[in-house]
Amino acid sequence: AKFYRQLLQKGDDMITICDELNIVVTYIEIENLCRQDNIHYTVNMDDGIDHFLICKFTLQPIVENCIVHGIRSSSQSLTIQINIKYEEDIILIQVIDDGNGISPEKLKELQQTLTEKTAFYSRHYGISNVNARLSINSHGDAQVLIQSTLGQGTTVTILIPQVL
């Protein structure tokens, strides 16, 4: 119920980083109930950045992908690190996991999807949707980048021009 209240509480497309993190933490707590507390996370954030605005559902789909695609078995643990910094008028967000990683072929396909900045309903919906919405709201200036090594984990980097 807490998760849905947070989602519905703010009708705006843009919310504070603090509000988005609250949604993500609640989502991780729900997933942990189903996965015997095998998901561990840390959030590192620059002071004062929590009031900056980002698109709603920027982080939650990325964290969901970490969990859904990153855990090999029900007994495996997963560590997710969320880093949020402010660098020269850019909000830099990194979501890093130590999960399965992505095969080189699939990674190349994902990177091509991100370059096109369109949402595909048949594949890569979560990350391509985030990428397309960020691009629209930033007039094409936002970027979503993905790096991964099979068997070692994945890093998603999001670069967003500052919106106060």
Side-chain angles (χ1 to χ4, degrees):
K2 178 181 174 185
F3 181 69
Y4 287 112
R5 275 195 305 276
Q6 288 173 328
L7 295 180
L8 299 174
Q9 177 181 6
K10 307 262 182 196
D12 300 332
D13 288 336
M14 302 293 283
I15 63 173
T16 65
I17 290 173
C18 181
D19 287 340
E20 180 74 2
L21 281 173
N22 287 334
I23 290 169
V24 168
V25 167
T26 302
Y27 176 77
I28 292 171
E29 289 171 356
I30 291 169
E31 285 291 334
N32 252 334
L33 290 173
C34 301
R35 300 176 190 274
Q36 297 92 30
D37 289 324
N38 284 338
I39 303 168
H40 310 282
Y41 70 95
T42 58
V43 176
N44 304 303
M45 182 168 49
D46 283 353
D47 291 334
I49 197 171
D50 57 335
H51 68 280
F52 286 13
L53 296 176
I54 60 174
C55 292
K56 188 181 225 181
F57 292 115
T58 295
L59 293 175
Q60 189 277 333
I62 305 301
V63 170
E64 182 175 343
N65 281 348
C66 292
I67 295 168
V68 170
H69 301 294
I71 296 179
R72 296 186 230 340
S73 67
S74 60
S75 63
Q76 180 190 4
S77 67
L78 178 72
T79 301
I80 300 170
Q81 181 179 344
I82 301 170
N83 301 317
I84 305 172
K85 299 193 286 185
Y86 182 68
E87 294 183 352
E88 299 181 24
D89 296 331
I90 298 287
I91 298 168
L92 171 72
I93 301 171
Q94 283 191 310
V95 180
I96 304 164
D97 73 60
D98 63 354
N100 288 332
I102 303 169
S103 70
E105 299 80 26
K106 188 166 187 171
L107 180 61
K108 185 176 179 180
E109 182 181 310
L110 275 165
Q111 290 169 333
Q112 178 63 37
T113 297
L114 295 174
T115 300
E116 294 171 9
K117 296 191 181 214
T118 56
F120 293 100
Y121 296 101
S122 60
R123 65 183 204 276
H124 318 304
Y125 180 73
I127 196 165
S128 67
N129 183 301
V130 168
N131 190 40
R133 286 184 299 107
L134 289 172
S135 183
I136 289 168
N137 283 314
S138 71
H139 307 291
D141 292 333
Q143 289 183 293
V144 178
L145 309 168
I146 188 166
Q147 298 173 328
S148 186
T149 302
L150 192 59
Q152 294 182 18
T154 302
T155 299
V156 176
T157 302
I158 302 169
L159 304 165
I160 307 169
Q162 178 191 354
V163 177
L164 290 175

